[in-house]
Amino acid sequence: MIATVVGARPNFMKMAPIIQELKRRGLEQVFVHTGQHYDKQMSTVFFEELLMPQPDVYLGVGSGSHAEQTARIMIAFEKVCLDHRPELVIVAGDVNSTLACALTAAKLNIPIAHIESGLRSFDRTMPEEINRILTDHLCELLFTTEDSGNTNLNREGISPEKVYFVGNTMIDTLTTHLAKALERCPWERYGLQPANYAVVTLHRPSNVDDPATLKELVEALATLGKTLPVLFPMHPRTAAAGKDLWQSLEGVQIVEPLGYLDFLGLMAKAKVVITDSGGIQEETTVLGVPCVTVRRNTERPVTLTTGTNRLVAPIATEIVKAVQKPFQLTGHRPALWDGQAAKRAVDVIESWIKHCH
Ligand code: UD1
């Protein structure tokens, strides 16, 4: 039996095609949701829209400090491992649930596979960077999405025999659902015209937890909103940092976090996307939509070299300049971002299981 794990919003899009492919091949799995994210708009909606099965086990750990959340997940997931005795645990991405479950499995000598392995921002102030590095060093099977991942793992001394460049499972999900997302015309609901609005998501602690940085972001949207309608589905962390800061900005609509299909449809028809998310840099690359990433680094360099991404420091004037400077879009898809990544990963998993028995 294989344990598949999800916990927070970006995990769902990365794991859905893996869970479905394991099921299609009749490989037995116990599907675990840690409950790191729990609201309808942060969790349930993705299960409905991505046609994911209900979790077999829901750990319900909820929010907390890093130590509290990680520890609660470990305690709860250890019981799942002892009850089900999986022969492999599959984790995805870089959230606290990823590391917590990997560490728990490693201590029980259960092999681990990591979807979206090898990404590095080289910025250890990001909680995700710590999660990525530690998870990768605990794994038996490391599935990379871009060539930088292979290079990073090699430099860190991880044996190349464990590393499989399979592509990007989040792009499998995008490929499957794009037509359905566009059919919904979600821009109409917000009174927006295709190719004439910006979509914004900002939620990194380094951006929204620091009042001075937050002020720069508000100023940037205040300027941009005067000439281009802006739609800002607001993450709970950003709302908690001061929802009223944004409420009265001209041309800026603040809305609740969106489901997968509406957000994908809105991104696909945007003039520009402004974000500090990891996955959105990749999705805009495949959609061919300009992306301004409000961060000083990215763990996804292929989105800069092959894709549509541009990095900018969290300074109002710089953000405005980066959005307004014309984009020369290459229109290239990174290697193996072709909708077949989960199949390649599960091929490896299946033969690994056969080899073990
Ligand atoms: C987490 C991930 C981050 C990812 C993001 C996507 C870590 C370290 N960070 O950050 O990599 O980009 O998810 O959303 O794992 N909250 C709710 N409802 C929910 C979940 C959270 O209101 O369903 C609120 C709570 O107040 C909570 C806060 O959001 O304290 C932050 O949630 P948390 O899971 O700790 O981190 P994120 O900022 O969401």
Side-chain angles (χ1 to χ4, degrees):
M1 170 186 287
I2 298 170
T4 42
V5 177
V6 296
R9 188 166 62 173
N11 284 167
F12 307 130
M13 293 75 110
K14 294 168 192 170
M15 280 300 278
I18 296 282
I19 288 163
Q20 280 147 3
E21 188 62 20
L22 290 170
K23 200 164 159 216
R24 202 179 65 77
R25 299 190 195 193
L27 293 164
E28 197 192 354
Q29 58 180 310
V30 54
F31 175 32
V32 182
H33 184 346
T34 67
Q36 175 175 345
H37 284 176
Y38 41 85
D39 283 343
K40 180 166 193 325
Q41 284 307 101
M42 299 294 285
S43 175
T44 325
V45 66
F46 296 96
F47 281 77
E48 292 162 7
E49 294 187 352
L50 303 181
L51 310 175
M52 287 167 84
Q54 284 308 303
D56 299 305
V57 187
Y58 183 71
L59 304 180
V61 297
S63 305
S65 72
H66 285 278
E68 285 166 347
Q69 191 174 58
T70 308
R72 277 206 298 268
I73 298 168
M74 288 185 70
I75 293 166
F77 188 62
E78 186 177 53
K79 294 196 181 81
V80 178
C81 289
L82 293 173
D83 283 352
H84 293 271
R85 300 261 162 208
E87 57 196 317
L88 181 72
V89 169
I90 309 180
V91 296
D94 56 15
V95 299
N96 285 345
S97 300
T98 311
L99 173 62
C101 293
L103 187 51
T104 306
K107 292 288 181 79
L108 293 170
N109 296 320
I110 301 170
I112 307 144
H114 186 201
I115 306 291
E116 195 192 82
S117 187
L119 297 180
R120 298 289 182 266
S121 66
F122 304 100
D123 174 1
R124 290 203 183 194
T125 65
M126 286 179 79
E128 293 83 359
E129 183 75 351
I130 308 290
N131 293 341
R132 292 181 197 117
I133 295 170
L134 295 179
T135 300
D136 282 339
H137 283 260
L138 298 171
C139 283
E140 208 54 47
L141 299 172
L142 297 95
F143 296 114
T144 55
T145 53
E146 60 168 281
D147 199 38
S148 74
N150 305 326
T151 311
N152 293 334
L153 295 172
N154 195 28
R155 196 187 35 249
E156 291 175 18
I158 290 177
S159 161
E161 282 149 36
K162 297 180 176 178
V163 178
Y164 297 87
F165 179 30
V166 294
N168 193 327
T169 60
M170 202 176 58
I171 302 305
D172 294 4
T173 299
L174 182 152
T175 309
T176 305
H177 295 282
L178 182 58
K180 218 187 310 167
L182 290 171
E183 269 167 29
R184 296 159 73 101
C185 302
W187 49 88
E188 286 176 0
R189 218 166 313 138
Y190 301 101
L192 302 168
Q193 306 292 329
N196 191 36
Y197 61 89
V199 174
V200 176
T201 79
L202 296 163
H203 73 277
R204 291 263 152 238
S206 59
N207 276 336
V208 304
D209 290 358
D210 170 39
T213 309
L214 192 61
K215 193 162 158 269
E216 294 287 331
L217 304 179
V218 175
E219 258 176 59
L221 293 203
T223 307
L224 291 169
K226 287 184 184 140
T227 53
L228 184 67
V230 172
L231 185 72
F232 187 174
M234 191 169 278
H235 186 283
R237 178 186 285 281
T238 316
K243 200 169 182 178
D244 41 337
L245 293 172
W246 314 85
Q247 296 286 22
S248 56
L249 302 183
E250 183 191 338
V252 179
Q253 287 188 69
I254 307 292
V255 296
E256 293 295 305
L258 296 172
Y260 181 73
L261 294 176
D262 282 349
F263 190 74
L264 177 58
L266 279 157
M267 262 195 307
K269 293 290 177 184
K271 181 172 187 199
V272 61
V273 174
I274 303 167
T275 190
D276 58 10
S277 146
I280 290 172
Q281 300 170 51
E282 299 182 336
E283 290 167 334
T284 46
T285 278
V286 168
L287 295 168
V289 171
C291 179
V292 171
T293 299
V294 186
R295 285 177 48 190
R296 295 179 194 272
N297 52 54
T298 179
E299 59 288 331
R300 294 162 159 90
V302 78
T303 62
L304 299 173
T305 53
T306 308
T308 60
N309 192 17
R310 177 177 285 170
L311 289 184
V312 64
I315 300 167
T317 48
E318 297 294 315
I319 297 169
V320 172
K321 248 194 276 167
V323 171
Q324 289 174 345
K325 193 173 138 208
F327 279 77
Q328 242 120 51
L329 299 181
T330 57
H332 293 142
R333 265 190 193 227
L336 302 186
W337 292 19
D338 58 358
Q340 305 296 317
K343 289 202 178 71
R344 286 188 282 266
V346 176
D347 281 346
V348 174
I349 290 167
E350 211 172 12
S351 70
W352 180 87
I353 287 174
K354 280 196 191 117
H355 184 75
C356 286
H357 288 298

